[in-house]
Amino acid sequence: MSQKLRILTPVKRVLDYALKPRVNKTQTAVDIAGMKQSLNPFDEIAVEEAIRLREKHKDRVEDILAASIGPVKAQDCLRTAMAMGADRSAHIEVPESEAPEPLAVAKILKALVEKEGSNVVILGKQAIDDDSQQTGQMLAGLLGWSQATCAAEVKVEGDEILVTREVDGGTETVKAQLPIIITTDLRLNEPRFATLPNIMKAKKKPMQKLKPSDLNVEYKKSFELLKVQEPPTRQGGAKVGSVDEVVAKLKEAGVI
Amino acid sequence: MSVRRVTVLTGAALRQALPKVQLAVRRAFARQVGVSCRSLHSTRPLFQHETFDPATIERESDEVDVCIIGGGPAGLSAAIRIKQLAEDEGRDIRVLVLEKAGEMGAHTLSGAVIEPRALNELFPEWRDNPPSPLTPVKDDAVKFLTEKGSFPLPLPPQMHNEGNYIVSLNHVVKWLAEKAEELGVEVYPGFAASEVLYNEDGSVKGVATNDVGLGRDGKPKSTYERGMEFHAKLTFFAEGCHGSLTKQIVKKFNLRKGIDPQTYGLGLKEVWEVPAENWKEGHVSHSLGWPLKKDTYGGGWMYHFGENLVSVGLVIGLDYPNPYLNPYMEFQRMKHHPMYADVLKGGKCISYGARTLNEGGYQSVPRLTFPGGVLIGDTAGFLNVPKIKGTHAAMKSGMLAAEAAVKALASDAPGAIQLYDYETSIKDSYVMKELYEVRNVRPSFHTKLGVYGGLLYSGIDTLILRGKAPWTFKHPSTDAAATKKASECEPIEYPKPDGELSFDLLTNVARTGTNHEEDQPVHLQVEDWVKHAEAAYPDYKGIENRFCPAGVYEYIDDEKSAVGKRFQINAQNCIHCKTCDIKVPTQDINWQVPQGGEGPQYTLT
């Protein structure tokens, strides 16, 4: 008998992908005050994948739990996840000023996994604000579980999971045993829209409100952010009319 | 037994006949649902050979007492007022607000200096926890600009801003939305109402949100979801200037019979962070004259607010005659005038956007009530042009409609509700009284004397006659009809943007944060792009490309075209300003809502 799947989908609230980030005046952080924040696109794909797994393997998926570590507003993202199809959610509240670091997040998620008895964790490969690409891997290390990152396709066969991963040279298919951490890449699926009827129903789904101390995790910062600055502005190029001109310009630049 | 002749088509004959067969099927379908197949639908019905017809899927529906379309100042004020009155009377009234922007306030753009009159009535203690930024106006100035210089103009009484505040309307709307939710209003951003639903007796039954997940060809994709219906005893249309559903309602109930057409202006705005030495907190200045010529109504503004922030922009009356005029480029070159350049120099532009606004005033306000609903806010058009303020009027109209609604909902009378009380109360309120007082100012600019005639007359009307003149000027025509042919006008050469004070269009469009999914039906509905190019290009030489502040419309060289140009609509750039629907001389662009949650994501506007 194949194991039942209890899926955890952690999600992160980040600056909307269509908005241009700006550095604040003191050059210590990205200024997101008043700008729209939404669900990290990779995490949205993760939630979608969890729901598709349930649609494909109806009886095996016992529970889909969405979780988020962040300030109070992160609850909006959890409601979106529930509107897409997650059964319930957990919000682990941390102060707004302290952006969670990957290792701290991984430790909290480990505690949550152990508390909820999850055996599959699907999350985005990276968050679009810090692009760390570390949380999934760190979580696998802390738990000692299989990991399949940058997934482009996920297939469940009994107690084995086949994941096709995006790698530099192309794609690679790995076979792993449960329990497993999967991090999603863009090509995995196209997330569904959270429809209005579902959003209205999601308001009634349960949401746990926790603090890191409730999970016996000491939440502290390991890094100090020294400086944030914008990349150098792109210098205009110059159009040249002939090959001789190209050569002359290159000589001028000291390249040849 | 009768013999029925059946024609079987195969091969080439089938291919030839297929379009006719499709047309017959299309007509039969249209007859069945009772619509003319030539009319442009809200949610585009799918005619081509699809395997299933999504229009046949039943939509989920929900019942509410009041459904409000549009979560801006008017819509939210109405919702809040209803809940406040319901609480006072111990009643339970279900109010729902549908907003097409992904987040409340994301599509809201305005100068803005607001008169707190309506806000004081709605929340007497709003100053205890106000929206931010909030900057009281300290001083006012009006200048007439020449190319390099300027001279001051006397301030008309309407433009004294004592007691008023410079705000980011986008932030005020967010603040109002939070207050509304605290009172129990159901606010749903990210859902666009695209279709009005009618009862059998022709009254408004409610609205439906649009289907999402349709491909560009109109066929459902894997993410297809049917929209949802909301049935309401009363539907408030608060879509803002030139609302798309309002356009249909006005036509259906003939709300403009005997009333002047609405005229509009296009406001283009940027928000800048400027060096502290250039910034004067609470300073409000307006300019007339350069770069606009005497035949074009409009003026610029500059407000110092927040912390080292400056709101700068230009409003141009859309009745401008010259199709070569490019409002965006006029705005960009205006910033090079010393009045603006001296402030903006060394600063950084952090936001850009544009939106049309009403200029018709008193003469253009349509009938506001119809069976099952009302029009509130700018979608009806209460903006006071000389004051350059419409927010307080929009909010007040929402509040008056709310009061009438609460009274009407208390009665159990059968049949559709028509809020006649609202029409009366708004006429008696400062909303219409203000508009009446300044009714002759804007139309006085329509004469051959252009700006000079207007300024002269307005001076007399506001300072001496104080609006009590025994006459009322009319608006001679719609903005689209006021456009002259390109052959009768001079092309305008605009200086290239320098990248520091002025910017090229696409750089600025990126600052709006606008985005639409590419694979969806084009929401700027033009029935035939080829025919449009043939009809519009020879006379107007690509006016659409110039009036759109987001670069949506393009005429691309194409040898195969009869006019040498191919018309292209880049719907993704759209910032929902509605200029095209208003100004296109051929009046064949129908602006319809795209998928909910898309469009601009304005910051600090």
Side-chain angles (χ1 to χ4, degrees):
Chain A
M1 250 296 281
S2 320
Q3 272 183 60
K4 291 269 189 222
L5 301 177
R6 294 180 59 82
I7 308 180
L8 170 66
T9 55
V11 298
K12 186 177 182 188
R13 183 170 181 256
V14 296
L15 184 66
D16 191 275
Y17 74 90
L19 291 177
K20 221 174 144 191
R22 287 180 295 124
V23 179
N24 70 6
K25 276 187 275 242
T26 47
Q27 290 204 321
T28 50
V30 173
D31 189 7
I32 51 175
M35 292 171 94
K36 182 171 176 206
Q37 295 180 55
S38 354
L39 198 46
N40 181 24
F42 292 106
D43 294 337
E44 218 179 341
I45 294 174
V47 174
E48 174 65 21
E49 193 57 26
I51 299 163
R52 286 194 191 189
L53 282 176
R54 163 177 278 157
E55 286 170 355
K56 260 186 264 180
H57 310 271
K58 284 198 213 346
D59 300 317
R60 283 199 67 190
V61 177
E62 197 174 75
D63 176 65
I64 302 178
L65 168 69
S68 190
I69 297 150
V72 176
K73 289 240 168 96
Q75 291 179 9
D76 292 339
C77 293
L78 290 174
R79 271 184 254 274
T80 310
M82 289 197 287
M84 283 167 74
D87 300 318
R88 53 199 184 95
S89 59
H91 171 227
I92 296 102
E93 192 178 335
V94 296
E96 179 141 18
S97 48
E98 296 173 20
E101 293 168 7
L103 185 56
V105 170
K107 285 185 181 160
I108 294 177
L109 288 177
K110 169 171 183 278
L112 194 60
V113 160
E114 287 164 354
K115 173 171 180 283
E116 298 287 341
S118 319
N119 55 3
V120 179
V121 181
I122 314 182
L123 63 163
K125 72 173 182 182
Q126 65 198 59
I128 60 173
D129 53 3
D130 56 15
D131 282 344
S132 306
Q133 221 191 100
Q134 295 167 359
T135 310
Q137 291 87 331
M138 285 178 171
L139 182 58
L142 289 172
L143 286 168
W145 286 10
S146 331
Q147 60 170 301
T149 56
C150 307
E153 201 188 333
V154 172
K155 276 206 272 256
V156 174
E157 290 176 5
D159 277 341
E160 288 178 339
I161 320 278
L162 267 86
V163 177
T164 308
R165 307 176 54 225
E166 306 256 8
V167 293
D168 287 338
T171 57
E172 169 188 275
T173 308
V174 293
K175 182 157 60 170
Q177 303 287 326
L178 286 175
I180 186 173
I181 311 276
I182 303 173
T183 72
T184 63
D185 206 327
L186 274 181
R187 268 205 289 179
L188 183 54
N189 59 45
E190 201 187 324
R192 66 195 57 198
F193 290 96
T195 61
L196 194 43
N198 287 341
I199 291 186
M200 294 167 101
K201 284 185 208 142
K203 285 194 176 164
K204 305 199 182 90
K205 291 188 182 172
M207 184 191 293
Q208 290 179 59
K209 301 202 173 88
L210 302 164
K211 291 212 155 54
S213 49
D214 296 333
L215 297 165
N216 293 325
V217 174
E218 200 197 324
Y219 181 74
K220 59 181 164 78
K221 285 170 81 71
S222 328
F223 292 109
E224 187 193 325
L225 190 59
L226 293 175
K227 188 171 173 193
V228 181
Q229 64 186 41
E230 288 182 9
T233 44
R234 198 162 164 262
Q235 298 298 316
K239 262 190 170 161
V240 291
S242 68
V243 177
D244 291 330
E245 264 193 74
V246 176
V247 173
K249 288 244 182 239
L250 288 174
K251 281 206 180 127
E252 213 178 279
V255 178
I256 50 171
Chain B
M1 190 183 85
S2 59
V3 175
R4 221 197 285 161
R5 208 133 14 122
V6 170
T7 315
V8 176
L9 296 169
T10 55
L14 174 64
R15 269 196 293 280
Q16 247 191 10
L18 201 53
K20 287 210 202 111
V21 171
Q22 283 180 301
L23 191 56
V25 170
R26 182 199 281 207
R27 290 219 171 102
F29 177 77
R31 261 198 302 277
Q32 223 185 351
V33 294
V35 293
S36 150
C37 73
R38 215 171 273 168
S39 62
L40 290 163
H41 297 275
S42 323
T43 319
R44 188 184 282 205
L46 312 166
F47 296 126
Q48 276 79 30
H49 28 254
E50 62 265 353
T51 44
F52 80 102
D53 182 5
T56 57
I57 305 176
E58 272 250 350
R59 281 187 281 225
E60 271 200 52
S61 67
D62 204 356
E63 307 275 328
V64 301
D65 291 307
V66 180
C67 183
I68 301 180
I69 317 300
L76 290 173
S77 300
I80 290 170
R81 193 81 189 108
I82 295 178
K83 280 298 199 184
Q84 286 176 337
L85 291 170
E87 206 181 300
D88 285 344
E89 297 179 21
R91 286 158 64 185
D92 189 26
I93 303 182
R94 189 173 173 205
V95 183
L96 194 116
V97 174
L98 291 173
E99 165 59 44
K100 64 173 162 55
E103 202 179 50
M104 299 307 283
H107 288 186
T108 304
L109 179 136
S110 181
V113 175
I114 63 170
E115 199 181 286
R117 199 167 180 180
L119 194 50
N120 293 337
E121 289 173 23
L122 193 62
F123 290 115
E125 283 111 35
W126 66 272
R127 285 182 185 81
D128 294 341
N129 193 0
S132 160
L134 185 77
T135 308
V137 177
K138 290 222 173 78
D139 46 51
D140 265 302
V142 181
K143 293 208 177 102
F144 191 92
L145 301 182
T146 59
E147 193 170 338
K148 288 274 154 59
S150 66
F151 54 87
L153 284 178
L155 209 58
Q158 285 83 8
M159 284 183 72
H160 280 290
N161 280 311
E162 264 166 60
N164 294 341
Y165 297 89
I166 310 173
V167 294
S168 153
L169 198 60
N170 154 318
H171 283 224
V172 171
V173 168
K174 279 204 236 286
W175 181 87
L176 282 172
E178 278 171 27
K179 289 262 185 278
E181 281 193 301
E182 280 168 24
L183 287 166
V185 177
E186 290 173 64
V187 181
Y188 290 114
F191 291 97
S194 67
E195 198 186 321
V196 183
L197 305 169
Y198 298 97
N199 288 313
E200 270 168 22
D201 61 1
S203 63
V204 170
K205 183 168 154 184
V207 289
T209 59
N210 56 6
D211 298 351
V212 291
L214 286 172
R216 202 161 185 149
D217 52 8
K219 295 205 202 106
K221 301 188 289 191
S222 64
T223 46
Y224 177 75
E225 298 279 356
R226 191 92 170 99
M228 183 172 169
E229 289 186 11
F230 288 99
H231 302 165
K233 299 200 185 98
L234 274 170
T235 310
F236 285 17
F237 289 85
E239 295 173 287
C241 178
H242 204 76
S244 42
L245 291 183
T246 303
K247 190 172 156 183
Q248 295 174 21
I249 292 273
V250 163
K251 206 159 142 200
K252 176 152 170 94
F253 293 103
N254 214 355
L255 299 175
R256 285 203 164 276
K257 186 164 164 194
I259 295 182
D260 281 2
Q262 183 65 266
T263 64
Y264 302 88
L266 171 61
L268 301 116
K269 171 180 175 169
E270 286 174 2
V271 178
W272 284 66
E273 225 175 279
V274 299
E277 57 268 18
N278 297 349
W279 190 70
K280 270 174 37 189
E281 188 177 18
H283 182 68
V284 165
S285 55
H286 291 100
S287 73
L288 286 168
W290 194 84
L292 300 177
K293 298 212 167 54
K294 84 165 195 333
D295 61 1
T296 301
Y297 176 84
W301 79 78
M302 192 158 57
Y303 308 148
H304 299 234
F305 73 112
E307 255 205 59
N308 295 336
L309 294 174
V310 169
S311 158
V312 60
L314 175 65
V315 175
I316 296 189
L318 283 180
D319 59 345
Y320 66 79
N322 187 345
Y324 289 110
L325 188 99
N326 185 323
Y328 176 78
M329 294 307 286
E330 295 287 351
F331 175 38
Q332 295 308 306
R333 77 166 159 180
M334 180 187 90
K335 287 185 285 170
H336 283 277
H337 189 281
M339 173 180 161
Y340 294 97
D342 286 344
V343 174
L344 301 176
K345 209 169 30 202
K348 201 166 117 178
C349 176
I350 57 178
S351 186
Y352 162 74
R355 183 74 170 92
T356 49
L357 43 95
N358 303 292
E359 294 191 342
Y362 186 82
Q363 297 89 318
S364 304
V365 176
R367 259 175 285 285
L368 302 167
T369 67
F370 42 90
V374 288
L375 303 177
I376 58 175
D378 270 358
T379 211
F382 301 115
L383 192 140
N384 183 327
V385 175
K387 251 191 186 172
I388 323 174
K389 293 187 179 53
T391 308
H392 66 295
M395 288 175 69
K396 182 66 175 169
S397 70
M399 288 155 66
L400 290 171
E403 285 157 18
V406 168
K407 216 166 101 189
L409 288 170
S411 94
D412 272 325
I417 306 178
Q418 201 155 345
L419 291 183
Y420 295 113
D421 281 353
Y422 167 52
E423 292 247 30
T424 331
S425 59
I426 203 166
K427 275 213 176 68
D428 293 337
S429 75
Y430 55 80
V431 175
M432 289 307 270
K433 288 209 169 101
E434 268 183 40
L435 289 184
Y436 184 76
E437 198 182 303
V438 299
R439 69 196 183 288
N440 286 322
V441 171
R442 176 69 177 91
S444 68
F445 287 78
H446 287 314
T447 69
K448 283 219 170 49
L449 293 172
V451 168
Y452 304 115
L455 280 177
L456 191 60
Y457 177 80
S458 305
I460 300 172
D461 195 296
T462 57
L463 292 166
I464 301 173
L465 294 174
R466 294 199 184 269
K468 293 198 175 69
W471 54 77
T472 301
F473 293 152
K474 287 192 140 311
H475 292 296
S477 77
T478 64
D479 293 331
T483 320
K484 293 210 180 103
K485 298 215 166 87
S487 49
E488 299 168 24
C489 301
E490 288 275 320
I492 307 179
E493 268 280 329
Y494 290 101
K496 251 187 104 163
D498 69 350
E500 291 194 8
L501 275 178
S502 49
F503 310 101
D504 67 283
L505 186 57
L506 293 179
T507 306
N508 251 345
V509 173
R511 294 192 178 115
T512 63
T514 193
N515 195 25
H516 295 85
E517 199 188 319
E518 203 176 332
D519 194 11
Q520 66 171 306
V522 174
H523 68 278
L524 303 149
Q525 294 173 344
V526 175
E527 199 154 352
D528 187 327
W529 294 15
V530 172
K531 284 216 180 71
H532 177 88
E534 288 170 10
Y537 191 76
D539 281 337
Y540 302 102
K541 295 280 187 278
I543 187 179
E544 302 89 337
N545 177 255
R546 286 183 280 273
F547 65 43
C548 175
V552 169
Y553 299 103
E554 272 190 297
Y555 277 98
I556 304 171
D557 289 326
D558 187 351
E559 305 163 328
K560 291 192 232 107
S561 152
V563 289
K565 294 273 187 189
R566 182 167 60 85
F567 182 57
Q568 176 159 295
I569 305 180
N570 305 314
Q572 267 185 302
N573 287 7
C574 183
I575 55 177
H576 300 209
C577 72
K578 317 290 173 72
T579 306
C580 52
D581 198 312
I582 294 166
K583 186 61 173 171
V584 70
T586 42
Q587 283 292 280
D588 56 355
I589 299 180
N590 185 35
W591 194 94
Q592 214 7 269
V593 280
Q595 285 174 170
E598 298 181 344
Q601 295 184 71
Y602 288 136
T603 36
L604 282 172
T605 54

